Amino acid sequence: MNQPHQDEERDDAVVGRAFVWSAGAIALVLMFGGGYLYWNANREVQVVEQQTTFVKPQIRKRPAVEIPAMPFTDITATAGINFQHDSGSAGEKLLPETMGGGCAFLDFDNDGDQDILFVNSCRWPWDPRPSNHPPTQALYRNDGNGHFTEVTHDVGLDVTFYGQGVAVGDYDGDGDVDIFYSAVGPNHLFRNDSGRFTDVTAETGVAGSSDEWSTSCGFLDYDNDGDLDLFVANYVKWNREYDIAQPFTLTGGERAYGRPQNFPGTFPYLYRNDGGKFSDVAEAAGLHITNPARREIPVAKSLGVTFVDVDQDRFLDIVVANDTVQNFLFHNRRDGTFEEVAVLHNVAFDQQGNARGAMGIDSARIRNGEHVAIAIGNFSNEMTAFYVARGDSMDFTDEAIATGIGPQSRLELKFGTLFVDVDLDGRQDVVGANGHLENEINKIQSSQQYAQRPHFFWNCGPDSPTEFTPVPESSCGRDYLNRMVGRGSAVADIDGDGDLDLLFAAVNSAPRLLRNDQQLGNHWLRVALTGATGNSSAIGAQVEVQLATERLIAHVMPTRSYLSQSELPVTFGLGPIDKIHRVTVKWPDGEIQTIEGPEVDQFLKITQNAR
């Protein structure tokens, strides 16, 4: 009966002895472990030194290229140019005062040389300051040797309005070029009647709305019906009251010029030529782009425009540079309408998908004519865009960084961007007029100045480590790199020596006419076309020069840069090559005309075969 109790006592004893042994073992472990930790913590640590070889970081250097001498001489005063742009600024700092003005090369009197036109703005109607001599538009006649005489009053262009840009082209097919001015408010069209101009705005229907602000513009035959139509970009919806109401300031409450983000967007005009009168067909043609989320809100804030046949289907497409919103690529559907495809084909944004402050724009066929390039000058601290597509593909890649033009162009605020073969080596260089919007920008951004140096990037060729490199003063001359508040730019051969001279327009100051004085001995060919149809200017025609192993391609396209127009003749630099196999002209109406073996270093005039 006591067995269970005895068993319990025996089990308790066993458990008790086990507990004592366990406790003792734990104590020993703690004692020895603690001692080891104490000894390890306080012992002197032996440091083992190891030596490694230090490798200096590699410093990337700009590839060494031999930049040729391509000096420019400022001949503005000696050539007889005394124009001064007037923005009408009177202290209120209104946005339009920052954006003008444009300029153009044109042969208005058909004497074979390039004359110069300047677009002027004016005093605001509410400005109380007396003005005995209001600013007008200006036209200078070329004597053929690069000297100019002002003939503004004589030809009927001494008119005053708040001008912005200009387009030139023979809209009525009578053989001389007419002039369209864009403006803040109504636009203006002047018909050229044998060297004198008549305002035909009302009868042609191209004034536009009085509350629009029009910018870059150009003539093109978008429907290939044989006459010139007219595209007019509009910037933002603007009026004085809305501008003044915006709290635009610099420092200490000082009034500053505003930003386009604060103003609504708008739509462009596309005027179809209906036999001398025009109809705005922009909406029906698919050019009214709206916000996808709110269909009633226009997207466009357009400053630059050029026309290029991207896919080589003989119908001109329209490329628009927009400020702070996506760029547009209007693909011509060949039925009178366009499809906006900039996002699809990678010309809408930068490489990170951001919209930029786009201003001037130009396009060219490069790399043996196998690629089309579109260059767009953007705002300060934004790289110049350099979109490139191969062949007839519309798929572009922004090669600004890869070609070297992007990083070197970032700092300046870029307006008048142009492709120009300055040294006549057969490769397109890139030049551009620069200048800030805010005359006191240096107060808040030490890296920025109101007046800025123009850009000049020499094309080293696609096989060079960098395709474009900035040209130093030692190669282009001090006159070229002098600072200015640049806006529009244009290119022409003003003195008949075969190389291309430059015109930079400015805001609220004098322009700059730069004569190209390169003496490299490179050969050249200049080609002037006369069309057989109503498009006597042959705008949109393609000229191809076939050499032994190279092919050069150019288009007759005066609408380039920013608010400006360049000459109608096209120039081909041939470098050391002194033999041309053939010149092929693809006229806008589809006719192909070939001239075999023309001589180099000449001004070749080609008239379309009469049908």
Side-chain angles (χ1 to χ4, degrees):
M1 297 291 299
N2 294 330
Q3 184 66 35
H5 181 68
Q6 290 175 352
D7 291 342
E8 288 176 5
E9 287 179 348
R10 187 167 54 250
D11 293 341
D12 290 343
V14 172
V15 172
R17 286 194 299 269
F19 177 79
V20 171
W21 282 103
S22 298
I26 293 172
L28 287 172
V29 171
L30 291 175
M31 181 177 68
F32 283 107
Y36 172 78
L37 291 174
Y38 177 81
W39 171 79
N40 190 60
N42 290 276
R43 70 185 179 93
E44 184 177 352
V45 179
Q46 183 179 2
V47 178
V48 179
E49 295 184 0
Q50 292 183 341
Q51 293 184 346
T52 57
T53 302
F54 175 71
V55 179
K56 293 183 178 180
Q58 183 180 2
I59 299 175
R60 297 184 62 186
K61 296 181 179 180
R62 184 183 302 164
V65 293
E66 186 177 348
I67 301 176
M70 301 172 284
F72 284 89
T73 303
D74 187 342
I75 61 169
T76 312
T78 58
I81 304 295
N82 59 4
F83 175 77
Q84 181 85 8
H85 180 265
D86 188 343
S87 72
S89 58
E92 291 185 320
K93 289 203 167 183
L94 304 174
L95 186 57
E97 297 166 2
T98 68
M99 304 307 288
C103 58
F105 282 115
L106 72 164
D107 183 7
F108 84 93
D109 51 1
N110 281 341
D111 64 352
D113 50 44
Q114 295 299 310
D115 311 301
I116 290 177
L117 181 146
F118 293 105
V119 183
N120 211 347
S121 300
C122 64
R123 301 279 180 90
W124 295 109
W126 52 82
D127 190 340
R129 295 176 297 168
S131 179
N132 297 325
H133 301 285
T136 70
Q137 314 311 309
L139 181 65
Y140 289 81
R141 174 183 284 128
N142 190 343
D143 68 357
N145 297 310
H147 189 272
F148 297 82
T149 302
E150 185 177 358
V151 294
T152 311
H153 174 74
D154 299 338
V155 301
L157 291 178
D158 52 339
V159 289
T160 299
F161 51 83
Y162 206 96
Q164 293 284 276
V166 60
V168 296
D170 181 14
Y171 85 89
D172 55 357
D174 64 353
D176 46 28
V177 292
D178 311 296
I179 299 174
F180 175 86
Y181 293 96
S182 64
V184 178
N187 301 315
H188 301 266
L189 177 60
F190 288 86
R191 186 184 64 221
N192 188 340
D193 297 320
S194 300
R196 285 193 57 84
F197 291 90
T198 303
D199 189 335
V200 293
T201 309
E203 64 189 72
T204 55
V206 294
S209 173
S210 60
D211 63 355
E212 286 287 5
W213 172 359
S214 297
T215 53
S216 290
C217 47
F219 288 101
L220 76 161
D221 184 6
Y222 81 93
D223 49 5
N224 282 2
D225 65 350
D227 54 26
L228 287 179
D229 312 298
L230 176 63
F231 178 90
V232 183
N234 289 317
Y235 187 28
V236 294
K237 285 291 185 180
W238 177 89
N239 60 58
R240 178 196 183 199
E241 293 72 26
Y242 186 83
D243 197 333
I244 292 176
Q246 303 301 310
F248 302 131
T249 58
L250 277 176
T251 59
E254 300 172 63
R255 171 75 175 171
Y257 285 109
R259 304 171 301 171
Q261 294 95 323
N262 292 65
F263 296 88
T266 186
F267 297 125
Y269 302 125
L270 178 61
Y271 291 109
R272 186 187 61 214
N273 191 334
D274 297 326
K277 294 185 178 182
F278 292 86
S279 302
D280 182 13
V281 297
E283 183 174 12
L287 304 186
H288 282 197
I289 305 302
T290 57
N291 188 316
R294 298 182 63 183
R295 291 292 183 181
E296 73 277 10
I297 299 179
V299 171
K301 298 181 180 182
S302 304
L303 289 176
V305 64
T306 193
F307 314 120
V308 55
D309 182 6
V310 176
D311 55 353
Q312 300 186 56
D313 64 352
R314 204 173 56 79
F315 282 76
L316 288 172
D317 309 301
I318 303 174
V319 192
V320 180
N322 282 318
D323 190 5
T324 70
V325 298
Q326 71 164 80
N327 301 318
F328 294 150
L329 171 55
F330 291 108
H331 179 227
N332 196 326
R333 288 174 162 171
R334 299 184 292 181
D335 61 358
T337 68
F338 295 83
E339 180 184 10
E340 204 292 294
V341 294
V343 173
L344 180 63
H345 294 292
N346 198 36
V347 294
F349 304 107
D350 68 10
Q351 293 178 351
Q352 288 72 46
N354 300 314
R356 293 182 277 201
M359 313 291 180
I361 184 172
D362 197 9
S363 69
R365 293 282 172 179
I366 63 172
R367 303 171 187 166
N368 200 30
E370 295 175 357
H371 296 76
V372 59
I374 298 172
I376 300 178
N378 293 308
F379 203 76
S380 58
N381 297 314
E382 296 176 340
M383 292 186 293
T384 292
F386 195 76
Y387 301 109
V388 179
R390 184 178 180 86
D392 59 359
S393 169
M394 296 185 64
D395 295 323
F396 287 85
T397 301
D398 191 348
E399 297 185 7
I401 295 176
T403 58
I405 199 171
Q408 299 289 343
S409 65
R410 182 187 294 273
L411 183 62
E412 290 78 16
L413 201 165
K414 300 158 284 291
F415 277 93
T417 302
L418 277 173
F419 283 104
V420 183
D421 184 1
V422 174
D423 58 342
L424 299 176
D425 65 352
R427 299 189 297 265
Q428 296 293 322
D429 312 304
V430 176
V431 304
N434 304 321
H436 213 279
L437 305 179
E438 176 56 63
N439 55 350
E440 297 179 299
I441 188 61
N442 189 249
K443 288 184 177 181
I444 59 172
Q445 294 185 34
S446 59
S447 65
Q448 292 294 320
Q449 300 290 335
Y450 185 44
Q452 299 181 353
R453 286 184 167 189
H455 276 157
F456 184 0
F457 293 99
W458 182 59
N459 190 331
C460 314
D463 297 328
S464 298
T466 177
E467 194 164 352
F468 291 92
T469 190
V471 178
E473 182 180 309
S474 58
S475 293
C476 65
R478 178 174 298 180
D479 283 0
Y480 185 92
L481 292 178
N482 282 336
R483 296 179 183 273
M484 66 182 299
V485 190
R487 293 298 183 262
S489 63
V491 59
D493 177 9
I494 63 170
D495 48 9
D497 63 355
D499 58 25
L500 293 169
D501 311 293
L502 296 173
L503 180 64
F504 291 152
V507 63
N508 238 23
S509 52
R512 185 178 298 168
L513 179 60
L514 295 164
R515 187 184 63 214
N516 187 339
D517 288 334
Q518 63 85 27
Q519 298 290 329
L520 298 171
N522 287 329
H523 296 292
W524 50 273
L525 178 71
R526 285 173 51 75
V527 180
L529 303 182
T530 300
T533 64
N535 178 11
S536 70
S537 305
I539 290 175
Q542 176 179 296
V543 184
E544 179 180 316
V545 173
Q546 183 64 55
L547 307 175
T549 59
E550 299 177 59
R551 181 181 63 163
L552 304 175
I553 296 176
H555 289 85
V556 178
M557 184 46 61
T559 303
R560 308 163 59 190
S561 176
Y562 171 76
L563 304 177
S564 301
Q565 302 276 291
S566 290
E567 65 174 354
L568 286 167
V570 294
T571 296
F572 295 93
L574 306 177
I577 298 172
D578 60 1
K579 183 177 181 180
I580 299 172
H581 283 242
R582 74 185 63 87
V583 173
T584 302
V585 179
K586 297 180 180 179
W587 297 93
D589 64 0
E591 181 185 350
I592 297 177
Q593 191 170 343
T594 301
I595 293 87
E596 297 291 341
E599 296 294 323
V600 301
D601 301 337
Q602 67 156 319
F603 188 21
L604 179 63
K605 298 181 180 180
I606 303 175
T607 300
Q608 185 175 8
N609 294 325
R611 292 189 172 183

